[in-house]
Amino acid sequence: MSGTHQETHQETFEALRGQLREAAATFADGPDALESILLGLVDDVDRAAGEPLEIFPVCHHSPASAIAMARRLRQKQPKVVYLELCEDMAPLLTELRNCRLPVAVQAFATGVDGFPPEWSPLSVVAPVTEASAEYQAIAYALDTPGVELVLVDRSSDHVFQWDARRSQSDDPAADAGEPDTSAADEEAALHGDAVGVEIGDLRPRFAELEEHLLRHGKVRHWSEWWHQYVELPLGDGDHDTYRQVMFLIGSLFRRLAPGDPHRVRVDEDRERYMWTRMREHLAATGTDPADCLYVCGAFHAASRVEEFGVHGTDTYRISPRTATTWQYGLIPSSHAAIEAQFGLAAGSVSIAAAVWAKNVKRTRVEPYRLEGQAGQTGAKKTKTQKGKAQKTAPATAPAPATPAPASDKLTGFLRQPPVLDRLDETELLGWSVEIVRAARRNGYLASTADAIAVFETSILLAGMRDRAKPTPYDFQDAAVTCIEKDTVPGRRDVRRLVEIMMGGDRIGKVGYDALPPLARDVHDRLAPLNLKLQQRGVQRALLDIASRPELQQCSDVLWILRYLMPHGTARPIMGERTLGERPIQESWDVALGTHQRALIELGYEGVSIEQVLEQRLRRTAYDPQATAATVLEAVEDATLYLRSRRLADELGTRALEVLSAERSVDGAPEVLRRVRRLLAYYRTSEPVLPPWIESFVKTGYAHYCTLLPTAFTDDDATVRQVSAMLGFLFSMESLALSLGCDRTQLELAVAQSHPRDPSKTALLWAAQQQLGHLSRTDLRARCDELLANPMVLPAYPRYLSGFVQALEPVPGLTDFVVEAVSNAFARLPDTVLLPWLPTLITTVRSGGAELAPLLIREAGRIFPGRLPALDAWVPPWQAQPEPEAVPSVAGADGDRRSALLVAHPATCDAVANLLGCDGTWATEDSHHPSGAALAGRHPDTAVALEALLTGA
């Protein structure tokens, strides 16, 4: 800039400086109290306005900024547009033409290298709406030949390098753009927990200042203040007025911001970063700064760093990126998601979209739109108009290399009184009629009188708030007052109806061509279902796999999506997937379009859903906190969804390693359940068992035998967990013994167990009975002793709970448990029975709900089915006769028992030959063969055999 131009520019705001000095002296009892602040504001405006590289300050999602941007781009026709957006997102902007706005540009990283592992996954989003200045700049640069778009803001990697979490900040939302998690509805969560990056973070950071502005502006929230005092006055302003006012607002909020060291450092580093990148580009390309346009937030436009401007210092050094691998894509966004993430009032973005459409018609400014983009709200250009615009664009005379200095527009703008525009009665009448119609459709008893009341109340509220014209916020308050009153008959209140009437929560959509390969593959594989997969909402899919075998692949995809995606993406209505079963018919509710963001983020993890599922299963299995139960679950999922024997064997080997290293029994119930299921599957579908599961059973047998005595006495080990251990040992015993295990291990473990808890004691008795160390008669006698001891009766329900849990390892005790419960109800008086009856019910329900059907079925078998038969019914455990002694083999019984040998002598001869015995049949009377003499010499053996066979 020449010296003459500098002097001229310095004199531009000299009159305003003088007025501010007088104001400071008048209102602050001296010229020094406010002078530095007020004059500093003018200096910031002067500095930004005089920069050779034109700075265009914007506010995020501001219709006034978008209109001013479109108007300036058509007037200046810059050759280079510098945009405040993460520089690594540049290659993705061309895909915006395949989307329906609003969408968000996203950078995503699942594996971190250089950041704390607990931060994973990392996500950065930059939402784009049609009513935003950055979209106008992007559309102009991409569709205008010879124009270069350069993103100059910090990369996504630097966003987290500069994150406040590195310095252990107490305020996790200190950095600009931290998400507001207060909104819980579906649309507000479209961005997930991503960090937001926006152009134009223009909001007071000084709480007292914002409160002062809201109170004196007679508004409720910041969005309404901005609409009333910035959007409307700047809507028709010229370029110089717009720039100077935005510079002033940005400088005011910057100078009055609290001194948070981290936030100030991040703001200044971003400004140094952007100016460094711009100077590097200018030096590399030789572009004249007069042919460039720098689009940034008004807060950063009024920067005071030494690197500011094309002639700033070059002392700032940009740190290298970490080794984290970033993935990039477009995700759907919505007005509610933008409001929730950036702390805007509900409905403000929808109102901004309505104001944008109205301003386009009113000002007749032709906005820029990406060619081929669907879903725009403004007037659509025909192909002829598009071609004509492209041909005439280069003919527009560019701005001169040294533009004339702008005149002082701030003085007149700040001193002019509010403009009393005439009331747009047609628009307000239309709103009033439409809201009554919408209210009636939603159950309100609204009438024409309510429409008139809303109309008049809107005018009244605007007058009370010193407004020349009712705003949408005034109309919303009037509608709530006149229509809703004190009840909401339907699902939506009047405030929500006004938001819908103003445009609603518009939700964007990413087109098929802009989806990652994984998402496109899912759409292609589900094509035989003939569903509109990109459409939001739930769609029903019917799969008749028996008649159309090709639908089996669709079923596989849907089951994997159900596993990987959020709840509701793919929900089975009919049909299930279990090991060893083949589906015949299935019915699904599919909402893939509603959860498009999750599907896109899934594409960052792999090129197919099978690859992503395999990676997640491996990550689960090899996690340092993984247990044997979780690894077995991964084995089952690999078999169920991927049908991969290779992966199942690998994860099974990992399960064996984890089980060997475990020193607790917390996961024993889950281990037992899954091992049983996998064993049943492999026994029916494989010729031989996989080696890993044989090793798992062998190792598990020895492992649980070792832990069993400790588990019986450990207070932290529940009776359910000990029962699962015994269930594993007893149900896997035959396989374990065939693999080389020793049953003595189990017998020693039971013998060394000495529980103190009543439920575990009952469980131990059941285990001893299963091993043959305790007869059924002895077990019955112990229960009778408990019932006969008044000191033990309060704990009897816990003994019963232990017997119920014993049905897992010893299901043969079902009839005994029914007997024990029946004896308690039959023998105990109500004064004893009723106090511990609630304890019995709660313990059985909490600890053995899945075993209750066994007891119910056994009780139904034992008890009579009709009430009259109950009087003559005798319990089988009372009617059972005592076992009789085996009589001597002499006499008739001896003859009967030996008759079998005489009838089949060949069998006896074969056994004799096998044992190496020589002899011949005796010639005595056939009624008294000498072979029966052995039973007479050893009667105890015969008695024991009879007791074993009869179960006595």
Side-chain angles (χ1 to χ4, degrees):
M1 183 182 296
S2 63
T4 304
H5 182 71
Q6 289 181 353
E7 294 175 0
T8 305
H9 191 74
Q10 290 291 335
E11 297 174 356
T12 302
F13 300 99
E14 191 59 35
L16 181 59
R17 288 189 176 91
Q19 296 175 14
L20 292 178
R21 289 191 185 95
E22 296 176 1
T26 302
F27 294 104
D29 298 330
D32 296 331
L34 290 177
E35 184 175 0
S36 60
I37 296 179
L38 296 178
L39 297 184
L41 300 179
V42 181
D43 293 338
D44 291 341
V45 175
D46 199 358
R47 184 185 188 191
E51 173 60 31
L53 195 160
E54 182 176 337
I55 303 174
F56 195 94
V58 299
C59 177
H60 201 40
H61 306 301
S62 166
S65 295
I67 289 292
M69 173 63 72
R71 183 187 292 115
R72 183 56 178 168
L73 289 174
R74 294 197 179 278
Q75 177 186 3
K76 182 180 177 65
Q77 293 290 319
K79 298 179 181 178
V80 177
V81 176
Y82 297 114
L83 185 61
E84 180 190 332
L85 194 62
C86 294
E87 59 183 2
D88 51 338
M89 295 180 176
L92 203 64
L93 297 181
T94 56
E95 297 295 337
L96 287 175
R97 66 178 74 253
N98 297 319
C99 304
R100 184 180 66 194
L101 299 181
V103 297
V105 187
Q106 182 182 39
F108 193 88
T110 52
V112 296
D113 187 353
F115 300 108
E118 60 270 15
W119 290 13
S120 179
L122 306 179
S123 180
V124 178
V125 297
V128 180
T129 63
E130 186 182 1
S132 59
E134 61 266 30
Y135 173 73
Q136 294 298 307
I138 292 171
Y140 163 79
L142 295 182
D143 282 352
T144 304
V147 176
E148 184 179 4
L149 178 65
V150 182
L151 306 187
V152 294
D153 200 1
R154 55 182 175 168
S155 66
S156 304
D157 198 271
H158 286 89
V159 170
F160 288 95
Q161 286 188 32
W162 301 349
D163 197 292
R165 290 176 289 187
R166 283 186 170 273
S167 57
Q168 300 296 325
S169 173
D170 292 335
D171 183 8
D175 195 8
E178 283 289 337
D180 179 9
T181 57
S182 59
D185 54 34
E186 181 181 326
E187 284 74 18
L190 283 179
H191 295 172
D193 56 354
V195 174
V197 176
E198 58 175 317
I199 298 177
D201 178 21
L202 206 55
R203 183 168 183 165
R205 297 182 182 178
F206 189 35
E208 287 77 3
L209 172 61
E210 182 171 347
E211 181 183 356
H212 176 83
L213 294 176
L214 297 183
R215 184 175 66 254
H216 288 275
K218 298 180 181 180
V219 295
R220 291 165 302 172
H221 43 72
W222 174 251
S223 301
E224 187 176 357
W225 186 93
W226 180 268
H227 177 271
Q228 176 66 26
Y229 294 99
V230 180
E231 284 290 336
L232 296 181
L234 286 182
D236 297 325
D238 57 29
H239 176 62
D240 291 336
T241 302
Y242 169 83
R243 290 182 69 209
Q244 293 175 20
V245 171
M246 294 294 283
F247 287 148
L248 181 67
I249 296 175
S251 176
L252 174 65
F253 293 163
R254 189 185 188 99
R255 287 182 177 271
L256 295 183
D260 182 357
H262 170 75
R263 195 163 188 175
V264 172
R265 178 179 59 81
V266 170
D267 289 334
E268 293 180 349
D269 283 348
R270 289 182 65 184
E271 291 153 7
R272 295 186 180 98
Y273 194 107
M274 290 186 285
W275 280 109
T276 300
R277 289 301 193 203
M278 285 187 283
R279 283 195 298 271
E280 290 176 354
H281 181 269
L282 291 174
T285 60
T287 306
D288 188 351
D291 295 332
C292 305
L293 188 68
Y294 171 34
V295 182
C296 69
F299 188 89
H300 297 292
S303 175
R304 300 189 301 273
V305 298
E306 297 180 356
E307 290 80 3
F308 176 86
V310 294
H311 302 298
T313 60
D314 289 324
T315 57
Y316 182 71
R317 294 293 177 265
I318 297 175
S319 60
R321 302 182 188 179
T322 65
T324 300
T325 301
W326 290 88
Q327 305 286 339
Y328 301 92
L330 296 170
I331 62 173
S333 184
S334 68
H335 293 167
I338 297 172
E339 293 161 358
Q341 186 161 17
F342 300 111
L344 304 177
S348 59
V349 179
S350 299
I351 293 176
V355 173
W356 158 257
K358 179 181 177 182
N359 287 348
V360 169
K361 296 180 181 179
R362 180 175 54 84
T363 60
R364 297 184 180 181
V365 173
E366 185 178 1
Y368 288 94
R369 295 182 177 90
L370 287 171
E371 184 177 356
Q373 183 142 32
Q376 304 297 351
T377 58
K380 296 182 180 180
K381 297 185 290 183
T382 63
K383 293 182 179 180
T384 305
Q385 291 172 329
K386 291 177 183 178
K388 183 177 179 181
Q390 290 182 359
K391 292 179 181 179
T392 57
T396 304
T402 306
S407 59
D408 179 10
K409 301 288 186 176
L410 277 179
T411 303
F413 182 85
L414 296 175
R415 297 183 63 179
Q416 68 181 6
V419 180
L420 297 178
D421 295 335
R422 66 181 184 83
L423 181 63
D424 190 353
E425 293 186 0
T426 304
E427 181 185 51
L428 187 57
L429 280 173
W431 287 352
S432 303
V433 173
E434 183 61 31
I435 190 58
V436 169
R437 183 184 295 112
R440 291 183 64 86
R441 286 197 301 265
N442 285 269
Y444 291 90
L445 298 178
S447 63
T448 304
D450 293 307
I452 298 174
V454 172
F455 178 83
E456 297 295 343
T457 307
S458 300
I459 299 175
L460 177 64
L461 288 176
M464 294 173 59
R465 296 167 178 174
D466 296 332
R467 298 175 183 173
K469 173 184 176 182
T471 67
Y473 300 96
D474 298 326
F475 171 76
Q476 189 178 57
D477 293 340
V480 172
T481 302
C482 299
I483 297 177
E484 185 172 300
K485 300 178 179 67
D486 59 346
T487 59
V488 179
R491 185 166 56 93
R492 299 186 178 100
D493 57 10
V494 174
R495 190 173 301 279
R496 177 61 180 156
L497 293 178
V498 173
E499 295 176 6
I500 295 175
M501 190 189 71
M502 293 291 178
D505 183 19
R506 191 178 182 193
I507 301 173
K509 182 177 68 176
V510 179
Y512 175 86
D513 294 332
L515 293 173
L518 179 144
R520 292 200 299 267
D521 179 64
V522 169
H523 282 260
D524 294 341
R525 294 167 65 178
L526 294 179
L529 299 179
N530 297 321
L531 299 178
K532 298 179 180 178
L533 297 177
Q534 289 202 339
Q535 179 177 322
R536 291 182 59 84
V538 179
Q539 303 177 69
R540 180 63 57 85
L542 303 176
L543 284 71
D544 188 1
I545 303 175
S547 60
R548 295 182 59 189
E550 67 274 9
L551 295 181
Q552 175 66 47
Q553 296 182 355
C554 298
S555 174
D556 296 340
V557 173
L558 290 174
W559 282 108
I560 296 178
L561 289 178
R562 178 178 179 269
Y563 184 92
L564 296 175
M565 298 280 285
H567 176 73
T569 304
R571 185 168 64 93
I573 304 301
M574 181 185 68
E576 62 178 354
R577 174 155 292 199
T578 56
L579 291 173
E581 295 186 4
R582 297 182 61 86
I584 299 176
Q585 287 183 335
E586 292 180 351
S587 177
W588 289 82
D589 276 351
V590 182
L592 207 59
T594 304
H595 300 274
Q596 192 181 54
R597 177 187 68 86
L599 181 63
I600 292 172
E601 292 184 349
L602 206 64
Y604 300 150
E605 301 183 42
V607 296
S608 68
I609 53 177
E610 288 81 6
Q611 180 188 8
V612 174
L613 179 56
E614 183 173 341
Q615 290 175 354
R616 290 195 180 182
L617 292 177
R618 278 202 176 92
R619 190 159 55 244
T620 301
Y622 288 94
D623 188 273
Q625 304 300 323
T627 63
T630 58
V631 182
L632 285 177
E633 181 182 6
V635 175
E636 186 175 346
D637 292 336
T639 305
L640 197 61
Y641 299 112
L642 298 178
R643 299 187 180 93
S644 173
R645 177 66 182 273
R646 169 191 55 81
L647 180 61
D649 290 348
E650 176 187 341
L651 299 182
T653 305
R654 170 63 180 170
L656 178 61
E657 298 173 358
V658 175
L659 179 68
S660 303
E662 285 185 348
R663 292 297 176 264
S664 68
V665 296
D666 295 343
E670 189 72 9
V671 169
L672 173 62
R673 184 170 64 90
R674 295 194 179 278
V675 167
R676 281 178 174 174
R677 195 153 53 206
L678 288 169
L679 269 175
Y681 168 73
Y682 285 127
R683 282 170 172 167
T684 55
S685 61
E686 301 285 345
V688 294
L689 292 178
W692 74 265
I693 201 167
E694 293 183 347
S695 301
F696 189 91
V697 171
K698 184 177 179 180
T699 304
Y701 189 86
H703 178 71
Y704 286 134
C705 282
T706 304
L707 296 180
L708 188 62
T710 305
F712 265 114
T713 57
D714 189 3
D715 294 336
D716 294 333
T718 64
V719 63
R720 178 181 175 84
Q721 294 168 354
V722 180
S723 171
M725 295 172 62
L726 291 173
F728 185 96
L729 294 171
F730 289 147
S731 61
M732 306 291 168
E733 185 176 16
S734 59
L735 178 58
L737 296 181
S738 67
L739 295 175
C741 294
D742 190 356
R743 195 169 193 263
T744 308
Q745 287 181 289
L746 177 57
E747 294 179 345
L748 289 175
V750 173
Q752 294 172 358
S753 301
H754 304 285
R756 297 180 298 271
D757 183 72
S759 57
K760 292 183 180 180
T761 301
L763 191 60
L764 178 62
W765 293 348
Q768 291 174 342
Q769 197 274 339
Q770 177 71 9
L771 291 175
H773 298 165
L774 189 67
S775 66
R776 182 71 67 92
T777 303
D778 295 335
L779 191 59
R780 186 177 292 113
R782 292 188 180 185
C783 290
D784 292 339
E785 291 177 4
L786 294 176
L787 288 175
N789 189 348
M791 303 297 292
V792 184
L793 277 181
Y796 192 72
R798 300 179 63 185
Y799 284 95
L800 291 180
S801 176
F803 282 126
V804 172
Q805 290 295 333
L807 298 182
E808 180 73 54
V810 191
L813 281 179
T814 306
D815 59 338
F816 176 80
V817 177
V818 174
E819 175 186 342
V821 176
S822 301
N823 286 335
F825 278 81
R827 295 175 53 178
L828 296 178
D830 291 344
T831 55
V832 177
L833 184 64
L834 293 179
W836 59 255
L837 189 59
T839 305
L840 173 63
I841 297 174
T842 54
T843 52
V844 172
R845 287 188 60 182
S846 62
E850 70 280 0
L851 301 172
L854 294 176
L855 298 175
I856 296 173
R857 185 164 55 248
E858 183 66 20
R861 186 185 66 84
I862 294 177
F863 288 95
R866 296 185 178 275
L867 185 61
L870 188 60
D871 295 334
W873 176 74
V874 177
W877 51 85
Q878 293 182 3
Q880 184 175 3
E882 293 295 331
E884 299 179 358
V886 179
S888 174
V889 295
D893 271 349
D895 298 341
R896 180 177 57 82
R897 294 173 186 271
S898 62
L900 185 64
L901 299 177
V902 176
H904 302 281
T907 303
C908 186
D909 292 340
V911 174
N913 293 333
L914 180 64
L915 297 176
C917 298
D918 297 330
T920 59
W921 286 94
T923 59
E924 290 99 348
D925 186 1
S926 60
H927 295 288
H928 300 282
S930 59
L934 183 62
R937 290 197 299 268
H938 303 281
D940 294 339
T941 304
V943 173
L945 179 60
E946 182 182 14
L948 178 62
L949 295 178
T950 60

